[in-house]
Amino acid sequence: MGVLVHVRNLLLALCLVLVLGFLYYSAMKLHWNSWGQDSHFVTNPFDAGGQSLGLEYDRLGFLLRLDSRLTLELNSKYTNFTEGACKPHYAATQMTAIFPRFMKPAPMFLDISFKRWARIKDFPPPFGIKGQDNIIQRILETTKEYNLTPELNSRSCKRCIVVGNGGVLANKSLGSKIDEYDVIIRLNGAPVKGYEKDVGAKTTIRITYPEGAIQKAEGYEKDSLFVFAGFKPQDFKWLKCIVYKEKVVS
Ligand SMILES: *[C@@H]1O[C@H](CO)[C@@H](O)[C@H](O)[C@H]1NC(C)=O
Ligand SMILES: *[C@@H]1O[C@H](CO)[C@@H](O)[C@H](O)[C@H]1NC(C)=O
């Protein structure tokens, strides 16, 4: 009897040690995962490496001062800041430095496999596609191309530029400089024709939402990728009407 009790106590103690060990191990894993690239765990960046770097983050986890020693990691990784040098993954690395919880929940552009991306299914637009599944499915069924050209896609490093619409480029003659980039992104109805000297002549991607879209078919560059940014449910209806040549009823 005495031996049995002893064994039971020993087993209990062992159990407890195992549970504690498991908890300790999980905590370590969580801790490390919070700094991994594909982290799905949200932890406070204050308790991780940020403190030792002297970086401060706000409540949501964004770096407070963008001019603080953010470039520590970047400098060691990207030493070549020669003009024109391509820096692979530079933008993603910088984003991770600014916002350590940064992750890519889905590919850049939705394709017909979009229902696989669980995380975007939980939120209505603009944060996800909840409630829009059927309409998106119908739009994507008839979409022939979902991506950049194979030539662009095959490059290991692409230099990208987003040309804004604020007018600062007027009379700056930066057109040829802009055209040197591999991927030139323009927004909404930004004109190119007649302004090539200042804004460049190439357009790789034109990102548009309904209110800002070019109204005439001739206005779109034949070889550019039309990227639709849907913010609200009506936006998806609008695109479906265009794709299926239906009349838009508001
Ligand atoms: C930096 O990039 C430039 C342009 O691509 C290249 O000519 C130069 O050799 C690179 N320097 C180093 C140190 O890698
Ligand atoms: C650009 O130059 C033209 C011609 O010199 C001038 O009429 C125009 O006002 C200038 N625009 C800006 C924004 O400086």
Side-chain angles (χ1 to χ4, degrees):
M1 190 67 186
V3 173
L4 262 182
V5 168
H6 206 74
V7 168
R8 201 186 57 191
N9 282 346
L10 197 72
L11 281 177
L12 269 177
L14 194 69
C15 257
L16 214 70
V17 169
L18 281 177
V19 167
L20 282 176
F22 176 73
L23 282 179
Y24 183 73
Y25 173 75
S26 313
M28 288 282 287
K29 257 191 104 70
L30 276 173
H31 190 86
W32 286 114
N33 262 320
S34 73
W35 287 84
Q37 210 158 33
D38 287 317
S39 166
H40 286 256
F41 297 95
V42 173
T43 54
N44 186 348
F46 284 100
D47 59 15
Q51 196 77 295
S52 56
L53 288 177
L55 301 179
E56 277 187 82
Y57 299 86
D58 69 8
R59 215 163 34 86
L60 295 171
F62 283 95
L63 190 68
L64 274 177
R65 285 183 48 220
L66 293 184
D67 59 350
S68 48
R69 290 192 299 159
L70 155 76
T71 51
L72 201 75
E73 185 193 355
L74 296 182
N75 272 346
S76 61
K77 226 172 158 172
Y78 300 102
T79 45
N80 193 350
F81 279 89
T82 311
E83 199 180 317
C86 205
K87 299 185 274 294
H89 310 298
Y90 178 76
T93 310
Q94 189 163 32
M95 188 63 207
T96 311
I98 292 170
F99 184 58
R101 290 178 207 165
F102 170 70
M103 56 180 167
K104 255 174 84 177
M108 178 80 79
F109 306 127
L110 292 189
D111 64 17
I112 205 74
S113 74
F114 73 98
K115 285 185 181 162
R116 255 196 285 152
W117 308 106
R119 283 184 62 84
I120 59 170
K121 279 198 301 209
D122 299 340
F123 306 97
F127 304 109
I129 54 164
K130 192 175 177 180
Q132 303 301 315
D133 301 39
N134 292 338
I135 210 160
I136 291 175
Q137 174 87 27
R138 287 210 56 204
I139 294 168
L140 291 179
E141 270 165 10
T142 62
T143 310
K144 290 193 203 86
E145 300 285 344
Y146 299 110
N147 229 316
L148 296 175
T149 60
E151 196 272 313
L152 268 177
N153 256 338
S154 66
R155 293 191 200 184
S156 60
C157 187
K158 297 180 261 296
R159 297 177 64 228
C160 309
I161 187 168
V162 180
V163 184
N165 296 357
V168 286
L169 289 177
N171 293 351
K172 297 269 186 348
S173 300
L174 287 170
S176 56
K177 204 104 196 129
I178 291 170
D179 280 341
E180 283 173 13
Y181 284 79
D182 304 311
V183 177
I184 299 163
I185 301 167
R186 302 186 193 275
L187 309 169
N188 288 321
V192 170
K193 230 186 188 150
Y195 301 92
E196 290 90 341
K197 194 166 160 280
D198 290 330
V199 306
K202 274 189 350 194
T203 304
T204 320
I205 293 176
R206 189 176 278 277
I207 305 179
T208 284
Y209 53 84
E211 292 83 353
I214 296 175
Q215 299 296 323
K216 294 199 170 93
E218 312 86 83
Y220 291 91
E221 299 86 2
K222 272 207 174 63
D223 49 358
S224 76
L225 187 69
F226 173 93
V227 173
F228 173 72
F231 293 105
K232 49 195 189 300
Q234 294 96 299
D235 295 352
F236 295 91
K237 281 194 199 119
W238 175 86
L239 185 60
K240 188 185 140 257
C241 286
I242 289 179
V243 169
Y244 283 92
K245 296 190 166 59
E246 295 164 354
K247 230 186 159 69
V248 182
V249 264
S250 54

